[in-house]
Amino acid sequence: QVQLVESGGGLVQAGGSLRLSCAASGSIFSINDMGWYRQAPGKQREFVAVITGNSTNYADSAKGRFTISRDNAKNTVYLQMNSLKPEDTAVYYCNARIQQTRSIYVLHNYWGQGTQVTVSS
């Protein structure tokens, strides 16, 4: 099994910054990609950012303000969020697609438990 544990959420004023972390542990051979999604109250979960190798991709709402990075040695992904807006308020979820054994190339999809980010105006 694999566990994803997020940290770094909290309450911040508009214009402020937060850095989210997500550490993967357990039965891991390799991690194909790691990303962040968010879900605001009453809304569907939406994509925020993903990193695959050295390649990154962002939602339009995150471009220019958020930066995703990864420490492969620690199986950890980060999301640096700057210039936060009230509309960024949501539960942020870490996602990872993981190959668990060397001999079987199957990517298993895992989610973290979520971390709350609240941006006050």
Side-chain angles (χ1 to χ4, degrees):
Q1 245 328 344
V2 172
Q3 297 79 40
L4 301 181
V5 179
E6 300 117 331
S7 60
L11 173 64
V12 64
Q13 288 188 331
S17 299
L18 282 174
R19 188 192 193 209
L20 306 183
S21 300
C22 171
S25 63
S27 179
I28 299 171
F29 171 70
S30 69
I31 301 178
N32 187 71
D33 52 75
M34 299 186 80
W36 292 93
Y37 291 71
R38 67 186 184 187
Q39 188 167 17
K43 294 187 177 181
Q44 290 189 333
R45 190 173 298 189
E46 64 178 9
F47 166 76
V48 177
V50 66
I51 183 165
T52 306
N54 292 323
S55 176
T56 59
N57 192 28
Y58 296 92
D60 287 344
S61 60
K63 288 178 181 176
R65 300 187 299 126
F66 294 0
T67 302
I68 190 170
S69 61
R70 182 171 162 180
D71 185 334
N72 292 327
K74 296 182 179 180
N75 287 337
T76 298
V77 65
Y78 306 96
L79 186 68
Q80 177 66 43
M81 304 186 293
N82 299 328
S83 303
L84 283 162
K85 305 174 182 179
E87 50 263 44
D88 293 318
T89 295
V91 177
Y92 283 69
Y93 295 92
C94 175
N95 174 263
R97 294 197 300 156
I98 295 171
Q99 179 181 351
Q100 293 188 246
T101 62
R102 175 190 290 270
S103 59
I104 301 174
Y105 185 71
V106 174
L107 297 180
H108 298 270
N109 196 45
Y110 289 96
W111 292 93
Q113 81 286 354
T115 185
Q116 177 70 47
V117 171
T118 303
V119 184
S120 63
S121 56

